[in-house]
Amino acid sequence: MSIELKNVNHNYGSFKALDDLSATFESGKITMILGPNGCGKTTLLKYLINSSDSGVFDGSMAYVPQETTGSLNMTVRDVLSLGRYDKSKFYFRETAKDREIIDSAIAEFGLESFVDRNIDTLSAGEKQRVFIARAIVQQADWTLLDEPTANLDVKYADKLLRIIKAHRDEGKSFIMVVHDINLASLHADNILLMKSGKRIEQGVPAKALTLESLKTAYDIDFLSAEIDGREIFVSSIK
């Protein structure tokens, strides 16, 4: 079941972060939210999270924020185990199924070399992989990710997108805030392009990302070229 938002408004004091925003998020798809800094992308993600108990979502939800702060003083494996608490219940031991799912995520995300290390000793990119893996082990219907590739190098960003696509193909749904226009063009099923809390365009990449819509969103001109049937974009410097 898709998520439908109609005429959503959200203010921070006198600042209008979401301005009469309507959007659709299709289940079983990867929807990427794009737009300039301060346009309301993260606010929209938080609005969706806070709406998870009000009937907006049909199914369970996992969330990975843009940044994690504070000390956990836990091993990587223990952090992944937290993702199974809603399944195995807090006061019970991990089940064999829990361990199977955790071990699968460790292999899938390539965490074997530091799975027994304290997570506080990891680099930002390594931590990012762990927290995304923790969301995946929840096996939620919807997974919301705020700039999941921000701390990842090219290799692991590519690996993450392959993992997300594999889980989408198994029926899971993803909503991702991203800054990389070409990442969205090449990998998203649907795109929501925003500016100043408003929707500029939404749809498949070919519909949502055009030279006109990008100029409207970012206030600069772009050039485009086609790769593998999808367009890529660069800013036009004159």
Side-chain angles (χ1 to χ4, degrees), residues 30-34 45 143-149 160-161 164 174-178 183:
I30 300 169
T31 300
M32 296 190 184
I33 306 172
L34 277 172
L45 212 61
T143 300
L144 279 59
L145 305 160
D146 195 352
E147 296 191 41
T149 61
L160 171 62
L161 290 166
I164 287 174
F174 294 86
I175 302 173
M176 302 169 56
V177 167
V178 299
L183 182 149

Side-chain angles (χ1 to χ4, degrees), residues 137-215:
V137 304
Q138 290 181 239
Q139 296 188 325
D141 300 302
W142 293 86
T143 300
L144 279 59
L145 305 160
D146 195 352
E147 296 191 41
T149 61
N151 294 313
L152 302 181
D153 62 29
V154 174
K155 173 183 176 180
Y156 285 109
D158 179 76
K159 186 179 183 71
L160 171 62
L161 290 166
R162 291 176 185 273
I163 291 170
I164 287 174
K165 286 182 174 180
H167 286 276
R168 174 209 56 194
D169 292 344
E170 295 174 353
K172 302 299 184 183
S173 308
F174 294 86
I175 302 173
M176 302 169 56
V177 167
V178 299
H179 273 296
D180 190 327
I181 296 168
N182 292 320
L183 182 149
S185 179
L186 294 173
H187 298 288
D189 297 313
N190 291 290
I191 290 171
L192 171 61
L193 181 62
M194 296 178 61
K195 180 183 181 181
S196 302
K198 297 178 179 289
R199 183 183 73 181
I200 298 300
E201 188 60 85
Q202 182 172 25
V204 297
K207 177 179 184 291
L209 298 181
T210 64
L211 297 177
E212 293 76 16
S213 67
L214 289 173
K215 182 175 182 178

Side-chain angles (χ1 to χ4, degrees), residues 62-82:
Y63 169 59
V64 181
Q66 181 179 346
E67 295 181 357
T68 56
T69 58
S71 174
L72 287 176
N73 194 28
M74 301 174 69
T75 68
V76 168
R77 177 176 280 279
D78 288 340
V79 171
L80 296 177
S81 295
L82 292 175

Side-chain angles (χ1 to χ4, degrees), residues 41-103:
K41 300 185 298 294
T42 295
T43 298
L44 175 56
L45 212 61
K46 291 179 178 178
Y47 179 87
L48 290 168
I49 294 161
N50 292 331
S51 301
S52 61
D53 295 325
S54 62
V56 171
F57 278 92
D58 179 27
S60 55
M61 184 195 70
Y63 169 59
V64 181
Q66 181 179 346
E67 295 181 357
T68 56
T69 58
S71 174
L72 287 176
N73 194 28
M74 301 174 69
T75 68
V76 168
R77 177 176 280 279
D78 288 340
V79 171
L80 296 177
S81 295
L82 292 175
R84 297 302 302 165
Y85 276 165
D86 64 326
K87 306 294 183 182
S88 59
K89 309 302 181 185
F90 188 85
Y91 294 104
F92 295 90
R93 294 178 181 272
E94 286 178 2
T95 65
K97 182 65 173 178
D98 291 332
R99 289 190 291 274
E100 177 185 339
I101 291 169
I102 292 168
D103 288 342

